[in-house]
């Protein structure tokens, strides 16, 4: 079983022509005011299935606290679509504080990709789209992954690292 | 790049402000006003909102009963009723007719639809969302950082909170920049002038909203004068 997983991971790593493209996107980020603090993946039931921190700047919370926040975000996202004063609305797409913002990508299947970045960051949407691609390749195509369960895939981790690095683009 | 695109689109699109909610530190909605809003809430249920929050969303039965009791000298406020030719300084849900000279009555929007929610439910949801987001931002940042706004495909919600716990919430077009300064202007302008400095308004009472004709007209002028307002 273990051997199968390793072989599969290696196989999925070989067709990584996209990887090179991702790295170039990463290096374009300015070192000073653009930072990526964290990435979350929330399943359709509101459970946090992946959480990773990159650049420093936000509080370091326990995994339990992240679980609670993800659940809250899931609920808020549903409510915000009902409060629209004009026609039908999506849920919240960008939430801003004073120094950072939360960008949310909702996929057709209900999975949410959430990126925590600095306010000035302009690449959040593009990065989330890439994360979605990587998720499809390295998680959904992984025969050993159980849907809606926490993501434990080395391939996914490596490719996210290649995309985001330390969150500062250095 | 994204920024440039968004800026150019703001020039061509007409932007607007949809609604304003004010909450006090007891989580109670004490004022509501709206402008171009095509999707409206149903009127609040009996007892769902305080008196003097907004005529537009007040429970229909309350309006009917209280307007019947508008005569008499029982309340000192009645000496200022609009029937006497003097403009009322405070709205007790009773004496105000919707066609007061100070207020421009908005043209009825073309296609009105309902959100399916009663106003009191909607006001609670708005409060719940801003409270949760506020806590989430504080928790994530690990410092005393404020939640500022969020954006969906159809609208953008802005929050300004005063040190005394009053929360000013504004819903606008999704492409507007931050409207925090407008909310602050409402606070230092109309709010201080016609609510805080108005001895007839019982602030922090948990029993009355703060709606009065001058306050409403003053906010209306301020909002209509904004460059984002078409």
């Amino acid at each position: 079983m273990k051997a199968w997983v390793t072989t599969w991971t290696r196989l999925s790593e070989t067709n990584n022509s996209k990887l090179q493209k991702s790295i170039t996107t990463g290096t374009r980020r300015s070192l000073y005011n653009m930072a990526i603090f964290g990435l979350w993946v929330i399943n359709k039931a509101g459970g946090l299935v992946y959480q990773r921190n990159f650049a420093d700047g936000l509080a370091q919370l326990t995994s339990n606290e992240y679980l609670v926040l993800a659940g809250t975000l899931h609920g808020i996202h549903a409510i915000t679509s009902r409060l629209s004063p004009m026609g039908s609305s999506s849920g919240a797409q960008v939430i801003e504080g004073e120094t950072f913002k939360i960008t949310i990508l909702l996929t057709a299947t209900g999975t949410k990709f959430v990126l925590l970045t600095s306010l000035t960051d302009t690449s959040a949407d593009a990065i989330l789209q890439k994360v979605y691609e990587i998720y499809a390749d390295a998680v959904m195509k992984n025969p050993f992954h159980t849907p809606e369960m926490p993501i434990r895939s080395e391939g996914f981790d490596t490719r996210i690292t290649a995309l985001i690095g330390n969150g500062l683009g250095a | 790049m994204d920024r440039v695109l968004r800026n150019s689109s703001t020039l061509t699109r007409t932007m607007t402000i949809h609604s304003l909610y004010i909450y006090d530190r007891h989580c109670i909605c004490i004022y509501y006003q709206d402008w171009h809003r095509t999707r409206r809430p149903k009127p609040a249920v009996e007892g769902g909102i305080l008196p003097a929050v907004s005529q537009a969303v007040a429970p229909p039965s309350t309006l009917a009963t209280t307007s019947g009791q508008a005569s008499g000298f029982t309340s000192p406020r009645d000496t200022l009723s609009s029937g006497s030719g003097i403009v009322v300084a405070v709205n007790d849900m009773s004496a105000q007719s919707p066609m007061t000279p100070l207020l421009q009555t908005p043209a009825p929007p073309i296609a009105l639809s309902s959100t399916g929610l009663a106003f009191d439910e909607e006001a609670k949801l708005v409060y719940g969302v801003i409270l949760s987001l506020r806590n989430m931002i504080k928790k994530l940042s690990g410092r005393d950082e404020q939640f500022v706004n969020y954006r969906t495909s159809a609208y953008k919600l802005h929050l300004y909170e005063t040190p005394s716990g009053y929360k000013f919430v504004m819903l606008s077009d999704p492409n507007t920049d931050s409207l925090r300064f407008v909310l602050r202007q409402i606070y230092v302008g109309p709010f201080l002038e016609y609510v805080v400095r108005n001895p007839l308004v019982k602030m922090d009472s948990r029993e009355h909203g703060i709606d009065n004709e001058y306050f409403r007209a003053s906010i209306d002028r301020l909002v209509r004068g904004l460059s984002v307002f078409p």
Side-chain angles (χ1 to χ4, degrees):
Chain A
M1 167 83 177
K2 183 104 193 174
W4 270 105
V5 179
T6 340
T7 324
W8 182 84
T9 316
R10 224 173 266 141
L11 274 175
S12 66
E13 224 96 297
T14 45
N15 57 357
N16 266 353
S17 55
K18 276 187 214 145
L19 200 73
Q20 209 48 47
K21 241 196 290 171
S22 316
I23 292 169
T24 30
T25 338
T27 42
R28 255 190 273 129
R29 312 175 60 77
S30 151
L31 195 72
Y32 294 98
N33 49 14
M34 293 206 200
I36 297 178
F37 301 118
L39 169 72
W40 304 353
V41 180
I42 302 175
N43 70 16
K44 62 183 171 201
L48 187 64
V49 291
Y50 188 80
Q51 187 276 322
R52 196 166 147 189
N53 289 333
F54 301 99
D56 294 331
L58 296 182
Q60 303 292 315
L61 305 174
T62 64
S63 52
N64 211 17
E65 287 173 310
Y66 282 118
L67 272 172
V68 173
L69 287 180
T72 314
L73 191 70
H74 182 73
I76 291 173
H77 192 271
I79 296 172
T80 49
S81 66
R82 291 201 62 191
L83 294 177
S84 171
M86 304 289 276
S88 63
S89 170
S90 70
Q93 293 171 332
V94 183
I95 300 168
E96 289 183 4
E98 286 169 317
T99 63
F100 74 102
K101 64 179 176 180
I102 306 169
T103 312
I104 303 162
L105 171 74
L106 176 69
T107 69
T109 51
T111 307
K112 279 191 268 294
F113 294 93
V114 179
L115 199 68
L116 291 91
T117 61
S118 57
L119 272 187
T120 44
D121 191 284
T122 49
S123 61
D125 288 319
I127 289 196
L128 281 175
Q129 205 60 49
K130 287 226 171 59
V131 171
Y132 186 19
E133 274 172 36
I134 296 174
Y135 172 81
D137 285 347
V139 180
M140 294 318 285
K141 290 182 192 167
N142 182 344
F144 301 102
H145 174 73
T146 322
E148 310 299 314
M149 290 305 277
I151 300 168
R152 304 197 191 289
S153 153
E154 210 179 294
F156 185 66
D157 270 336
T158 336
R159 292 179 65 181
I160 292 296
T161 311
L163 176 67
I164 300 175
N166 62 1
L168 297 169
Chain B
M1 176 64 180
D2 185 39
R3 193 81 204 155
V4 176
L5 279 176
R6 199 176 305 157
N7 279 346
S8 64
S9 72
T10 55
L11 293 173
T12 49
R13 281 189 61 159
T14 52
M15 290 192 295
T16 192
I17 286 167
H18 301 307
S19 50
L20 170 74
Y21 303 76
I22 303 176
Y23 295 88
D24 70 3
R25 65 194 177 100
H26 308 294
C27 325
I28 309 170
C29 182
I30 50 167
Y31 185 80
Y32 173 76
Q33 187 165 6
D34 61 32
W35 295 270
H36 311 126
R37 186 170 174 180
T38 54
R39 230 161 142 258
R40 303 190 64 82
K42 295 189 284 197
V45 296
E46 192 78 39
I49 56 168
L50 300 181
V53 168
S54 168
Q55 295 270 319
V57 294
S61 53
T62 326
L63 269 179
T65 50
T66 48
S67 58
Q69 315 162 342
S71 62
F73 295 94
T74 44
S75 162
R77 287 181 197 133
D78 286 327
T79 56
L80 286 174
S81 79
S82 49
S84 63
I86 307 161
V87 229
V88 279
V90 68
N91 285 351
D92 215 3
M93 295 272 304
S94 51
Q96 198 211 5
S97 78
M99 300 297 255
T100 57
L102 268 177
L103 293 171
Q104 303 176 41
T105 38
I110 315 117
L112 284 178
S113 65
S114 174
T115 55
L117 284 169
F119 174 75
D120 52 326
E121 294 294 325
E122 180 187 90
K124 278 177 205 158
L125 282 183
V126 170
Y127 192 82
V129 165
I130 57 167
L131 201 76
S132 309
L133 283 176
R134 193 168 147 261
N135 291 342
M136 179 181 270
I137 297 281
K138 284 213 166 84
K139 189 107 199 188
L140 275 173
S141 65
R143 37 181 189 263
D144 197 24
E145 187 170 329
Q146 303 285 319
F147 157 64
V148 178
N149 61 52
Y150 76 75
R151 172 165 61 79
T152 75
S153 63
Y155 69 98
K156 189 167 180 177
L157 177 145
H158 312 257
L159 172 73
Y160 173 71
E161 188 176 349
T162 72
S164 47
Y166 281 92
K167 290 171 193 69
F168 291 71
V169 180
M170 190 172 258
L171 269 64
S172 75
D173 185 275
N175 297 307
T176 43
D177 287 329
S178 181
L179 290 178
R180 238 184 169 194
F181 75 99
V182 176
L183 294 172
R184 213 189 120 72
Q185 270 176 21
I186 290 174
Y187 174 55
V188 300
F191 187 80
L192 284 191
E193 192 61 34
Y194 300 114
V195 177
V196 179
R197 295 166 81 181
N198 181 344
L200 296 181
V201 172
K202 278 189 245 160
M203 289 185 74
D204 220 26
S205 69
R206 299 189 193 212
E207 286 162 2
H208 273 274
I210 55 168
D211 187 19
N212 68 67
E213 206 176 346
Y214 277 103
F215 183 49
R216 194 162 282 269
S218 174
I219 291 182
D220 196 59
R221 260 198 313 277
L222 195 152
V223 168
R224 284 177 196 278
L226 291 171
S227 60
V228 293
F229 204 88

